Amino acid sequence: EAQVTQNPRYLITVTGKKLTVTCSQNMNHEYMSWYRQDPGLGLRQIYYSMNVEVTDKGDVPEGYKVSRKEKRNFPLILESPSPNQTSLYFCASSPHHGLAESTDTQYFGPGTRLTVL
Amino acid sequence: AQSVTQLGSHVSVSEGALVLLRCNYSSSVPPYLFWYVQYPNQGLQLLLKYTTGATLVKGINGFEAEFKKSETSFHLTKPSAHMSDAAEYFCAVSDPMKTSYDKVIFGPGTSLSVIP
C-alpha cells in the first residue's frame, strides 16, 4: 500500500530535550516536505527536499533541522524544542518537484501531535 | 508575496444542500490552485487542483471548483452535501514560475459541518 508514515504519532516532551520525528514514504517520490498546522494559520511549510541530499527552507524553518540521506526518509529534528513548537506536524511527498503534472499529487502522512512543556 | 484567504472559518449546511467554500488568492501571476480536505485525526487529501486549461475542475467525492482570474477566486462547491463531507477544507496556491510544490501556501482552513 502506498503511504507516508510518521513516528511517533503523539509526543509530549520538555523544553530543550532533542527529538526526532521520522517520516518515510514507500512510493519512490523525489519530493518530500514538512508542515506544521496551527489553529487559524493553516499549514505552514517548514522544510522541503527535492531529492537526496537536497533540502531547502520553507516559510518557518527556525528551530528545525532536516536531512535527506535516503530517498524514502526525511526526518525532522528539533535540537532544542520550545513551547512555541507545540503543534501538529505533517510530512508529505510527491513524485516530482518540477512543474505540476496533471496527475501529480502530494501525499500526506497521518500527522504527529507534539507538545513541548 | 502570495497569500490565500478563506472566507468563513466555519460553515454549516444542511444535508442535501449546496456546499460553497470560498477561496481568494493574491498573486502577481495566475498560480496553481489546490483544495485539500482533512478528516478528523487524518492527514490532508487532495480534492482537486487547477494548473492550466479548463477553468472548471472536477475532483473527488463530487466536488468541483472554478478558477476565475478576474475575481482571483477558486471557490469549492458540491451540489448536495452529505454527512461524510464534514471535515476541514484548505485552499492552497503555488507559484507556477517555481517548482510545483516548493512554496505551497495554505489558507487558514474552513471547517464544514453538515446538519442532518
Side-chain angles (χ1 to χ4, degrees):
Chain A
E1 178 189 355
Q3 60 182 350
V4 178
T5 57
Q6 295 179 227
N7 283 292
R9 293 290 312 279
Y10 302 90
L11 179 61
I12 300 174
T13 188
V14 296
T15 299
K17 186 177 182 181
K18 181 180 178 180
L19 66 92
T20 299
V21 183
T22 64
C23 173
S24 183
Q25 49 92 5
N26 62 359
M27 296 167 280
N28 201 37
H29 285 173
E30 290 183 352
Y31 184 91
M32 298 185 75
S33 182
W34 275 104
Y35 296 88
R36 61 177 289 173
Q37 182 180 14
D38 301 288
L41 297 177
L43 275 77
R44 293 178 292 169
Q45 193 173 39
I46 303 171
Y47 269 95
Y48 63 94
S49 169
M50 291 190 286
N51 215 321
V52 175
E53 302 291 3
V54 182
T55 64
D56 206 349
K57 296 177 181 179
D59 293 318
V60 289
E62 295 78 18
Y64 304 95
K65 286 175 55 178
V66 294
S67 68
R68 188 90 181 272
K69 293 183 170 55
E70 307 166 279
K71 201 170 187 179
R72 65 183 291 125
N73 297 323
F74 190 46
L76 179 69
I77 302 158
L78 285 71
E79 294 271 4
S80 183
S82 62
N84 65 11
Q85 292 178 297
T86 293
S87 186
L88 179 59
Y89 292 86
F90 288 101
C91 179
S93 73
S94 67
H96 309 99
H97 61 83
L99 291 176
E101 300 292 334
S102 60
T103 55
D104 226 4
T105 190
Q106 194 165 199
Y107 295 83
F108 282 80
T112 294
R113 187 169 292 281
L114 172 66
T115 300
V116 183
L117 302 175
Chain B
Q2 291 179 314
S3 66
V4 180
T5 57
Q6 292 182 240
L7 185 63
S9 60
H10 190 90
V11 171
S12 292
V13 300
S14 298
E15 191 175 15
L18 171 71
V19 176
L20 171 60
L21 303 181
R22 299 178 187 274
C23 172
N24 288 87
Y25 66 90
S26 66
S27 175
S28 58
V29 297
Y32 293 148
L33 295 155
F34 309 83
W35 274 101
Y36 286 87
V37 61
Q38 183 181 29
Y39 298 105
N41 300 315
Q42 294 186 26
L44 276 72
Q45 179 182 4
L46 182 68
L47 271 178
L48 49 79
K49 67 179 181 182
Y50 169 80
T51 54
T52 59
T55 56
L56 181 62
V57 181
K58 294 186 184 300
I60 61 172
N61 301 337
F63 284 94
E64 62 181 36
E66 186 171 12
F67 168 56
K68 292 187 177 181
K69 183 180 177 181
S70 61
E71 299 178 7
T72 61
S73 69
F74 191 57
H75 301 331
L76 181 71
T77 60
K78 181 174 180 178
S80 177
H82 192 274
M83 295 299 294
S84 61
D85 294 327
E88 188 90 15
Y89 291 81
F90 294 93
C91 182
V93 302
S94 67
D95 187 341
M97 299 305 291
K98 300 181 180 179
T99 56
S100 63
Y101 293 118
D102 63 347
K103 288 290 186 182
V104 180
I105 308 297
F106 283 83
T110 297
S111 178
L112 175 67
S113 297
V114 181
I115 304 166

